[in-house]
């Protein structure tokens, strides 16, 4: 077979690998162009108090609107941006846009917190804290109105991550752990983390209305968060039954298509004013 011949020292052409790296190269070039040509847009997804249906904040989610290909989801280009390092430049742009926009909404009387996602690469970039505080200064947004969403993956480098998060919190910025429960040993380290909010991953919400294990997990997360004086929010709520099950298990805050999809700026403004 091809495989056994390969072991005898021949290098074989693997068409799938070749296609992948070619796609990456094309994507990298397109990403660079996209930054220059401002093809990125920030959408905002409401965060709600589940019981009162009150708006409590919004998550900034980047969209790439390519002139020929249309909307490209972040799941496709963020990993490439991370691998190539372009995430540093793109991430700074995203943060500035979100802070600038929230400052505008603040000035119009809407006291809402904006949450911005940071990838692992950004957490470990040297000047992150400096960059974030500089952008707050430039845009005039008070740090209390900014939250950064990070994932558990950064706690593989526990000490380094903890130092960065502490500096951010000392600057008055809030920290949320995104996709909680999917990553690295969640429960064992949670007590020592400098975070304000736990965001329960959508995988526990999907079946919560008919799965007792998901209910038990959510209830346990809420209990632990309460005792550590952390907030909890559930992501990916699509159904009334899921919202109800969350409330029954003590989860007050939520986000998901049930309330609203991520919205373009103008549509979010409409949501703000017309609820
Ligand atoms: P995430 O931060 O966990 O964001 C939640 C994702 O779930 C978003 O997908 C959102 O549109 C989607 N979502 C929200 N509610 C529902 C729902 O009820 N049902 C379903 N099925 N999906 C829902 P999106 O916008 O495609 O983003 C995917 C991931 O890409 C994000 O996951 C985040 O990890 C990353 N990402 C998005 N924007 C940024 C950004 O500005 N910077 C960085 N570094 N990463 C970003
Ligand atoms: Mg997020
Ligand atoms: Mg998430
Ligand atoms: Mg998620």
């Amino acid at each position: 077979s091809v495989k056994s011949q390969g072991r005898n020292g021949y290098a074989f052409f693997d068409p799938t690998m070749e296609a992948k790296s070619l796609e990456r190269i094309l994507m990298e070039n397109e990403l660079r162009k996209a930054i220059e040509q401002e093809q990125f847009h920030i959408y905002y997804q409401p965060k709600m108090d589940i019981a009162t249906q009150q708006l409590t904040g919004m998550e900034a989610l980047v969209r790439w609107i390519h002139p020929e290909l249309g909307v490209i989801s972040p799941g496709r280009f963020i990993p490439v941006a991370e691998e190539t390092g372009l995430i540093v430049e793109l991430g700074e742009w995203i943060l500035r846009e979100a802070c600038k926009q929230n400052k505008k909404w603040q000035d119009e009387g809407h006291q809402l917190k904006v949450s911005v996602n940071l990838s692992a690469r950004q957490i470990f970039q040297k000047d992150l804290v400096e960059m974030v505080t500089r952008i707050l200064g430039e845009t005039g947004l008070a740090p209390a109105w900014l939250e950064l969403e990070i994932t558990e993956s950064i706690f593989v480098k526990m000490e380094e991550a903890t130092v960065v998060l502490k500096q951010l919190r000392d600057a008055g910025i809030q920290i949320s752990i995104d996709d909680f429960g999917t990553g690295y040993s969640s429960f064992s380290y949670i007590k020592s983390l400098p975070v304000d909010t736990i965001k329960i991953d959508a995988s526990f919400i999907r079946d919560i209305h008919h799965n007792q294990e998901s209910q038990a997990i959510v209830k346990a997360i809420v209990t632990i968060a309460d005792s550590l004086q952390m907030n909890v929010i559930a992501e990916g709520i699509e159904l009334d039954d899921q919202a109800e099950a969350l409330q029954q298990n003590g989860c007050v805050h939520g986000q998901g298509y049930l309330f609203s999809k991520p919205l373009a700026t103008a549509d979010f403004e409409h949501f703000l004013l017309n609820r």
Side-chain angles (χ1 to χ4, degrees):
S1 73
V2 167
K3 241 183 174 171
S4 59
Q5 283 176 351
R7 271 192 230 114
N8 292 333
Y10 293 92
F12 284 94
F13 177 75
D14 177 341
T16 54
M17 257 177 67
E18 185 70 10
K20 218 176 203 169
S21 62
L22 182 58
E23 193 192 316
R24 290 266 146 145
I25 292 162
L26 293 174
M27 176 91 98
E28 187 179 340
N29 287 327
E30 283 296 305
L31 270 173
R32 280 183 207 285
K33 242 197 295 178
I35 293 175
E36 283 163 26
Q37 299 179 359
E38 298 186 33
Q39 292 170 9
F40 293 103
H41 300 264
I42 310 292
Y43 278 46
Y44 296 91
Q45 187 178 32
K47 294 189 179 189
M48 313 293 288
D49 181 310
I50 298 171
T52 65
Q53 303 263 317
Q54 246 184 328
L55 182 67
T56 58
M58 59 278 177
E59 178 175 9
L61 293 158
V62 66
R63 297 287 178 266
W64 180 5
I65 305 179
H66 188 280
E68 279 112 42
L69 302 174
V71 180
I72 304 171
S73 76
R76 287 189 60 198
F77 66 84
I78 293 284
V80 183
E82 281 188 49
E83 273 175 41
T84 55
L86 285 169
I87 192 69
V88 172
E89 197 181 330
L90 179 59
E92 183 169 338
W93 181 86
I94 292 166
L95 186 68
R96 184 178 292 106
E97 284 299 304
C99 289
K100 212 194 291 174
Q101 184 59 65
N102 197 26
K103 171 65 176 157
K104 206 165 150 251
W105 284 327
Q106 297 278 334
D107 289 346
E108 290 165 5
H110 306 289
Q111 304 232 298
L112 297 165
K113 197 171 59 183
V114 68
S115 304
V116 177
N117 292 282
L118 288 192
S119 63
R121 176 108 182 211
Q122 290 176 274
I123 284 289
F124 299 117
Q125 88 188 49
K126 264 216 160 59
D127 61 345
L128 178 76
V129 180
E130 209 175 48
M131 185 273 278
V132 175
T133 49
R134 174 165 44 79
I135 285 178
L136 286 171
E138 281 170 16
T139 59
L141 184 71
W145 299 116
L146 176 63
E147 177 177 76
L148 299 174
E149 295 193 7
I150 48 106
T151 62
E152 291 171 275
S153 66
I154 67 165
F155 298 117
V156 173
K157 294 193 210 167
M158 177 68 85
E159 278 165 45
E160 272 181 73
T162 302
V163 168
V164 177
L165 296 186
K166 275 191 177 137
Q167 290 174 341
L168 289 167
R169 288 182 91 209
D170 286 346
I173 296 152
Q174 292 174 61
I175 306 291
S176 172
I177 309 187
D178 207 346
D179 306 335
F180 186 81
T182 58
Y184 172 82
S185 71
S186 311
F187 283 99
S188 61
Y189 68 82
I190 186 76
K191 69 170 190 302
S192 54
L193 297 183
V195 303
D196 303 281
T197 298
I198 294 174
K199 194 167 188 184
I200 306 173
D201 189 65
S203 58
F204 301 111
I205 313 309
R206 205 156 293 133
D207 62 359
I208 190 168
H209 50 307
H210 51 67
N211 184 322
Q212 295 201 340
E213 277 149 25
S214 291
Q215 288 163 24
I217 289 167
V218 166
K219 201 171 189 168
I221 294 173
V222 170
T223 304
I224 290 178
D226 276 350
S227 70
L228 297 171
Q229 290 171 306
M230 293 176 186
N231 306 305
V232 177
I233 183 165
E235 69 175 6
I237 308 171
E238 296 184 353
L239 307 170
D240 277 319
D241 286 351
Q242 293 166 338
E244 199 168 304
L246 281 163
Q247 284 182 270
Q248 280 165 4
N249 290 283
C251 184
V252 174
H253 294 102
Q255 188 182 5
Y257 296 169
L258 176 65
F259 308 109
S260 171
K261 292 196 170 192
L263 301 169
T265 308
D267 295 329
F268 187 83
E269 263 163 23
H270 190 80
F271 186 92
L272 261 180
L273 298 170
N274 295 284
R275 283 172 325 113

